[in-house]
Short mmCIF file of all heavy atoms in Angstrom, two decimals:
data_model
loop_
_atom_site.label_atom_id
_atom_site.label_comp_id
_atom_site.label_asym_id
_atom_site.label_seq_id
_atom_site.Cartn_x
_atom_site.Cartn_y
_atom_site.Cartn_z
N THR R 130 8.57 6.32 59.40
CA THR R 130 9.23 5.40 58.48
C THR R 130 8.40 5.19 57.24
O THR R 130 8.90 5.14 56.11
CB THR R 130 9.47 4.06 59.19
OG1 THR R 130 10.24 4.27 60.36
CG2 THR R 130 10.21 3.09 58.26
N LEU R 131 7.07 5.05 57.42
CA LEU R 131 6.17 4.85 56.28
C LEU R 131 6.20 6.05 55.36
O LEU R 131 6.16 5.92 54.13
CB LEU R 131 4.74 4.60 56.78
CG LEU R 131 4.50 3.25 57.46
CD1 LEU R 131 3.08 3.19 58.01
CD2 LEU R 131 4.74 2.12 56.46
N THR R 132 6.29 7.25 55.95
CA THR R 132 6.32 8.47 55.14
C THR R 132 7.56 8.51 54.26
O THR R 132 7.50 8.79 53.07
CB THR R 132 6.28 9.71 56.04
OG1 THR R 132 5.11 9.66 56.85
CG2 THR R 132 6.27 10.98 55.19
N HIS R 133 8.74 8.18 54.87
CA HIS R 133 9.98 8.17 54.10
C HIS R 133 9.94 7.10 53.02
O HIS R 133 10.44 7.28 51.91
CB HIS R 133 11.18 7.94 55.04
CG HIS R 133 11.56 9.16 55.83
ND1 HIS R 133 11.97 10.32 55.23
CD2 HIS R 133 11.58 9.39 57.17
CE1 HIS R 133 12.25 11.22 56.15
NE2 HIS R 133 12.01 10.68 57.36
N SER R 134 9.35 5.94 53.37
CA SER R 134 9.27 4.84 52.40
C SER R 134 8.41 5.23 51.21
O SER R 134 8.74 4.96 50.05
CB SER R 134 8.70 3.59 53.07
OG SER R 134 8.54 2.55 52.14
N SER R 135 7.27 5.88 51.48
CA SER R 135 6.37 6.31 50.41
C SER R 135 7.04 7.34 49.52
O SER R 135 6.94 7.31 48.30
CB SER R 135 5.08 6.88 50.98
OG SER R 135 4.42 5.90 51.75
N ALA R 136 7.76 8.27 50.17
CA ALA R 136 8.45 9.31 49.40
C ALA R 136 9.53 8.70 48.51
O ALA R 136 9.72 9.09 47.36
CB ALA R 136 9.07 10.34 50.35
N GLY R 137 10.25 7.69 49.08
CA GLY R 137 11.29 7.03 48.29
C GLY R 137 10.70 6.28 47.10
O GLY R 137 11.25 6.31 45.99
N SER R 138 9.55 5.62 47.32
CA SER R 138 8.91 4.89 46.22
C SER R 138 8.44 5.84 45.13
O SER R 138 8.61 5.58 43.94
CB SER R 138 7.71 4.09 46.75
OG SER R 138 8.14 3.14 47.70
N ALA R 139 7.87 6.98 45.55
CA ALA R 139 7.42 7.96 44.56
C ALA R 139 8.59 8.53 43.78
O ALA R 139 8.50 8.73 42.56
CB ALA R 139 6.67 9.10 45.27
N HIS R 140 9.73 8.73 44.47
CA HIS R 140 10.92 9.26 43.79
C HIS R 140 11.45 8.26 42.78
O HIS R 140 11.83 8.62 41.66
CB HIS R 140 11.99 9.59 44.83
CG HIS R 140 13.25 10.14 44.24
ND1 HIS R 140 13.29 11.36 43.59
CD2 HIS R 140 14.52 9.63 44.17
CE1 HIS R 140 14.52 11.59 43.16
NE2 HIS R 140 15.29 10.55 43.51
N ARG R 141 11.46 6.97 43.15
CA ARG R 141 11.93 5.94 42.22
C ARG R 141 11.00 5.83 41.01
O ARG R 141 11.46 5.62 39.89
CB ARG R 141 12.04 4.59 42.95
CG ARG R 141 13.25 4.50 43.88
CD ARG R 141 13.49 3.08 44.31
NE ARG R 141 12.37 2.59 45.15
CZ ARG R 141 12.33 2.71 46.45
NH1 ARG R 141 13.32 3.32 47.11
NH2 ARG R 141 11.30 2.24 47.13
N ARG R 142 9.70 5.95 41.26
CA ARG R 142 8.76 5.89 40.14
C ARG R 142 8.99 7.05 39.18
O ARG R 142 8.94 6.89 37.96
CB ARG R 142 7.31 5.90 40.66
CG ARG R 142 6.86 4.56 41.23
CD ARG R 142 5.35 4.52 41.32
NE ARG R 142 4.84 5.55 42.22
CZ ARG R 142 4.66 5.38 43.51
NH1 ARG R 142 4.99 4.22 44.07
NH2 ARG R 142 4.18 6.36 44.26
N ARG R 143 9.23 8.25 39.74
CA ARG R 143 9.49 9.42 38.88
C ARG R 143 10.77 9.22 38.08
O ARG R 143 10.85 9.56 36.90
CB ARG R 143 9.58 10.68 39.73
CG ARG R 143 8.23 11.19 40.23
CD ARG R 143 8.36 12.63 40.72
NE ARG R 143 9.27 12.74 41.86
CZ ARG R 143 8.90 12.61 43.13
NH1 ARG R 143 7.63 12.35 43.42
NH2 ARG R 143 9.78 12.72 44.10
#
Side-chain angles (χ1 to χ4, degrees):
T130 303
L131 289 175
T132 302
H133 284 299
S134 177
S135 300
S138 298
H140 180 65
R141 285 193 294 270
R142 283 197 298 271
R143 285 196 297 271

